[in-house]
Amino acid sequence: MIESARYEALMSRRSEIMKQSVGIDYSQYETGVIAFDYEKLFVDTGYDVNTAREIQSNTAVGNTPLIELKNITALARVAASPGKGARVFIKDEAANPSGSFKDRRASLSVHEAKRKNFTGVVAATSGNYGAAVASQAAKAGLRCIVVQEAFDSQGTAQPEIAEKTRACEAYGAEVIRLSVGPELFYVFLHVLEETGYFNASLYTPYSVLGIETLGYELALQMQKQSHVFPDVVIATHAGGGNVTGTSRGLRKAGAVDTQVIAASVDLSGLHMASDHDFNRKSFTTGHTGFSMPFTTWPDRVDVPRNAARALRYMDRFVTVTQGEVFYITQILAELEGLQRGPAGNTSLAAAFAIAQELDEEKIIVVQETEYTGAGKHPFAQLNLAKQMGVTVRRGDPNDNKPGQRIVIPEHPSQIKVTDVELDRVRRSYLHHAIESLGEGGHLSDIDIDFLAAETRSSKTYVQEVINGLR
């Protein structure tokens, strides 16, 4: 247990530690009580999309292939009504150095750390991002520490997290493995203060700008291959950076009419900070345990403000079940000869269902894949689920119950998406915004404009919701 006085003392220095470890004075971008100038924050980094692409190319990041999944498209058309079944493509980000799109995020953060003469970088993550930071730090000659929330109080670790521990250590990083709970952020702050290393957070502008190249590149590749921009791009959604960066990159490439759909695994009912629930989820990212709270209030992060603002950029938000993702993972391997990890396959499961809604000439792009390995393979995850008392069976995915039952479809036609009601998400966001004001807080016109942009709504909508809440 963390001694209370030490914990409070460190937390009281949180803002100063963060400012020193990122090198950004976030206060200069505050334009109101809540309002914040994110565009100026991005511009002031000095990195535009072409500069970012050049930096990434120097460490073999990016320029990944765009692959048409012809056999999966054909299967979707068998399940669809006549004339329906959009063409499905994937951006194969597994081709990046550490095997995921997270290399794009890490590349700019590590470059910035090197530019500012930091001797090392620190990242708090249990997933692919740790390996990406470790890989990029190794190339830059910087030290790297990864802080992981790795296991429950019984010492049981998810195989996917253990896989990432091995990957981080293979790249020369030091990995600090912790049990689930509040100690993660405390230890992270302590390491930053003690080492003076750069905070390679997932939520800095550098991280989001690194993903812009993915959306930008995807749009240009599709235009070159098919002479059109994609009709739909589906991004697996967790903390918001994937959706935010991809959408911004698409717009910068001119794909302003492309619909951006966020997709998450439905883990409703499970609490991510619960010792009991921690190992009863079979996905470490891309699930509603992250995507819902981060969409309704993004700033619950390890920097003063989260540069990822998913609600600004998503046109639609859907969920799929765990069993459907495991099923599409096997389909991808057996029909397309591509064995890939679970995160990107969340979007692929959604794409398979949404393709059946659209006409055959439409184009859907799943904007990322990730590598697979022993710990990421469905068998490893399902074996742990069984060990934790979760039932695994074939049947109707509608019978799925997170933490209790994983139901794997018996037929491709059973793969469906469930839409998240965005109006409910917007109202929840505005509720959190009002809560953050405290007693007697007052919103100016600038704040109302900001909240309208944050929720992709209007000033009238924002004012009506706020009046209702008050």
Side-chain angles (χ1 to χ4, degrees):
M1 291 291 291
I2 303 166
E3 196 266 314
S4 179
R6 287 173 53 209
Y7 181 86
E8 294 300 328
L10 185 66
M11 287 301 163
S12 70
R13 301 194 297 276
R14 170 181 175 173
S15 295
E16 188 58 33
I17 294 169
M18 289 300 174
K19 181 178 176 180
Q20 291 177 356
S21 66
V22 180
I24 297 174
D25 180 5
Y26 282 82
S27 64
Q28 67 178 303
Y29 302 102
E30 295 171 358
T31 56
V33 178
I34 289 177
F36 192 89
D37 193 342
Y38 287 101
E39 288 307 316
K40 190 172 190 306
L41 176 68
F42 283 121
V43 169
D44 285 355
T45 65
Y47 299 111
D48 60 21
V49 70
N50 289 316
T51 303
R53 293 183 77 193
E54 183 179 346
I55 290 167
Q56 290 173 344
S57 70
N58 289 335
T59 55
V61 174
N63 196 30
T64 57
L66 183 67
I67 303 169
E68 183 167 8
L69 303 181
K70 295 181 180 179
N71 293 331
I72 284 182
T73 298
L75 183 63
R77 288 174 178 174
V78 169
S81 303
K84 300 291 184 180
R87 297 165 66 192
V88 180
F89 291 73
I90 59 167
K91 190 84 165 79
D92 196 13
E93 290 290 287
N96 282 310
S98 75
S100 81
F101 86 98
K102 296 290 179 68
D103 286 299
R104 295 182 188 261
R105 307 186 81 154
S107 60
L108 258 63
S109 291
V110 171
H111 179 85
E112 183 68 7
K114 185 83 170 178
R115 190 182 72 83
K116 288 179 174 173
N117 296 317
F118 284 84
T119 58
V121 293
V122 185
T125 168
S126 297
N128 289 333
Y129 187 58
V133 173
S135 170
Q136 291 295 301
K139 292 190 179 191
L142 299 180
R143 299 183 183 92
C144 178
I145 299 174
V146 176
V147 184
Q148 279 191 337
E149 195 171 52
F151 43 77
D152 62 18
S153 59
Q154 304 304 306
T156 302
Q158 290 191 349
E160 186 174 353
I161 295 176
E163 169 87 20
K164 300 321 301 180
T165 302
R166 291 191 293 270
C168 292
E169 290 176 340
Y171 294 122
E174 176 186 348
V175 181
I176 300 173
R177 305 179 77 222
L178 305 170
S179 60
V180 61
E183 66 176 331
L184 176 72
F185 189 60
Y186 172 86
V187 171
F188 179 64
L189 278 179
H190 179 71
V191 170
L192 284 174
E193 186 175 51
E194 186 178 63
T195 62
Y197 287 177
F198 184 82
N199 178 5
S201 167
L202 284 159
Y203 308 107
T204 65
Y206 311 113
S207 178
V208 175
L209 287 166
I211 310 171
E212 282 189 7
T213 65
L214 174 50
Y216 187 86
E217 192 176 294
L218 181 162
L220 297 185
Q221 286 176 310
M222 181 55 68
Q223 193 174 52
K224 184 176 181 180
Q225 286 188 32
S226 300
H227 309 292
V228 293
F229 290 128
D231 297 285
V232 175
V233 170
I234 304 184
T236 300
H237 177 33
N242 202 14
V243 172
T244 300
T246 298
S247 180
R248 289 173 61 90
L250 286 166
R251 295 178 185 183
K252 289 181 178 182
V256 294
D257 295 324
T258 297
Q259 184 185 34
V260 176
I261 300 178
S264 298
V265 178
D266 178 13
L267 291 187
S268 54
L270 295 182
H271 195 292
M272 296 307 109
S274 162
D275 181 62
H276 176 272
D277 292 347
F278 183 68
N279 280 327
R280 284 172 174 79
K281 64 184 191 300
S282 294
F283 290 80
T284 61
T285 187
H287 55 69
T288 54
F290 288 142
S291 63
M292 286 305 296
F294 275 96
T295 308
T296 58
W297 195 241
D299 295 321
R300 50 184 90 230
V301 292
D302 54 9
V303 286
R305 289 279 191 145
N306 185 357
R309 320 299 294 185
L311 195 52
R312 286 180 178 237
Y313 294 99
M314 64 174 69
D315 296 297
R316 185 179 174 187
F317 185 6
V318 301
T319 63
V320 291
T321 68
Q322 295 177 92
E324 288 168 323
V325 179
F326 286 131
Y327 188 69
I328 203 72
T329 298
Q330 196 64 24
I331 287 177
L332 180 64
E334 293 190 12
L335 292 189
E336 301 289 354
L338 295 170
Q339 191 177 40
R340 297 292 184 266
N345 293 337
T346 298
S347 292
L348 181 58
F352 185 81
I354 292 170
Q356 297 170 50
E357 302 173 5
L358 304 176
D359 293 339
E360 289 185 352
E361 72 274 9
K362 300 294 185 181
I363 292 173
I364 295 179
V365 178
V366 174
Q367 55 72 260
E368 54 105 358
T369 64
E370 61 170 315
Y371 89 98
T372 194
K376 288 174 171 285
H377 196 277
F379 290 164
Q381 294 298 102
L382 292 172
N383 284 338
L384 176 66
K386 292 175 184 177
Q387 179 185 329
M388 301 306 297
V390 177
T391 300
V392 179
R393 62 176 174 82
R394 301 296 293 272
D396 184 350
N398 287 323
D399 294 333
N400 179 78
K401 179 71 173 175
Q404 297 181 27
R405 291 186 302 276
I406 296 174
V407 183
I408 299 173
E410 295 178 302
H411 191 274
S413 63
Q414 292 176 302
I415 298 177
K416 306 292 182 185
V417 295
T418 299
D419 275 271
V420 175
E421 186 183 347
L422 285 179
D423 186 63
R424 179 170 61 86
V425 176
R426 292 185 181 102
R427 288 174 182 274
S428 179
Y429 176 95
L430 293 171
H431 176 74
H432 285 297
I434 294 302
E435 280 187 331
S436 73
L437 289 175
E439 196 89 18
H442 175 71
L443 296 175
S444 67
D445 284 345
I446 291 173
D447 293 309
I448 298 295
D449 283 335
F450 172 80
L451 292 174
E454 283 278 271
T455 55
R456 289 185 73 176
S457 62
S458 66
K459 293 178 67 172
T460 302
Y461 173 89
V462 169
Q463 197 64 67
E464 286 176 352
V465 173
I466 289 174
N467 290 342
L469 289 169
R470 284 176 166 170

